[in-house]
């Protein structure tokens, strides 16, 4: 199965699982690097597309700056709300701001002997630092609001 480069707004608005927080990956000096993430390859990419990305091609499902990986509990919540890998969504933060992102990857299931939960992991594509809201709380999510006046 591979991400379809979804366009949203497929899903409904929902609350983030308890304990949800912003984390970051793919930035320079990331303490938890993995070869696929470094190359821009997420969990939902076909073998054919993996080969194309590794060959240097910029494909539709290559992970880009600001894209999102989530832990299994968050993935379950997103799927229940009607979102699929590749979809755009809006992630809402505790400070009242939000960010539009594409759901393109998933985090490790277990890290350091503990189940990984509540992770909204933003890809930093070789940036110097973590996401500006790293460690902050995620309160919810929803479809991307269309621009312009309602029709």
């Amino acid at each position: 199965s591979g991400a379809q480069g979804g366009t949203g707004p497929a899903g409904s608005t929902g609350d983030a699982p308890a304990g949800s927080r912003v984390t970051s990956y793919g930035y320079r000096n990331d303490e938890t690097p993995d070869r696929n993430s470094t190359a821009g390859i997420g969990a939902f990419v076909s073998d054919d597309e993996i080969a194309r990305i590794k060959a240097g091609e910029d494909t539709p499902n290559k992970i880009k700056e600001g894209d999102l990986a989530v832990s299994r509990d968050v993935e379950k919540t997103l799927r229940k709300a009607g979102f699929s890998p590749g979809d755009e969504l809006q992630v809402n933060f505790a400070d009242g701001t939000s960010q539009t992102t594409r759901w393109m990857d998933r985090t490790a299931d277990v890290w350091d002997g503990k189940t990984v939960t509540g992770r909204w992991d933003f890809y930093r594509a070789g940036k110097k630092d973590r996401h500006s809201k790293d460690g902050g709380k995620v309160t919810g999510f929803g479809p991307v609001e269309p621009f312009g006046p309602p029709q």
Side-chain angles (χ1 to χ4, degrees):
S1 85
Q4 300 303 309
T7 56
S12 59
T13 301
D15 292 328
S20 286
R21 67 197 180 287
V22 176
T23 54
S24 308
Y25 75 116
Y27 55 93
R28 274 188 256 147
N29 302 318
D30 185 344
E31 299 85 14
T32 59
D34 71 83
R35 252 184 265 137
N36 279 348
S37 295
T38 301
I41 299 167
F44 311 108
V45 179
S46 70
D47 291 343
D48 172 61
E49 194 169 6
I50 288 171
R52 290 171 34 218
I53 291 169
K54 285 183 175 177
E57 192 176 322
D58 184 11
T59 70
N61 295 312
K62 182 176 180 182
I63 305 171
K64 300 194 175 20
E65 167 68 25
D67 283 347
L68 184 66
V70 297
S71 52
R72 297 277 181 167
D73 60 323
V74 174
E75 180 175 340
K76 192 180 291 184
T77 299
L78 290 174
R79 287 184 186 275
K80 197 172 178 182
F83 288 93
S84 299
D87 283 347
E88 283 194 323
L89 65 147
Q90 183 172 301
V91 177
N92 304 318
F93 305 115
D95 67 2
T97 63
S98 63
Q99 179 173 335
T100 297
T101 183
R102 290 188 314 161
W103 171 25
M104 299 301 288
D105 201 0
R106 75 165 56 104
T107 67
D109 294 337
V110 176
W111 180 256
D112 219 12
K114 297 182 191 103
T115 301
V116 176
T117 61
R119 299 287 290 270
W120 299 73
D121 208 6
F122 288 89
Y123 192 61
R124 298 291 294 151
K127 298 284 187 207
K128 276 194 310 208
D129 50 6
R130 299 168 189 253
H131 190 280
S132 63
K133 306 220 183 278
D134 196 283
K137 189 172 184 209
V138 174
T139 57
F141 61 90
V144 176
E145 297 298 324
F147 292 105
Q151 299 299 312

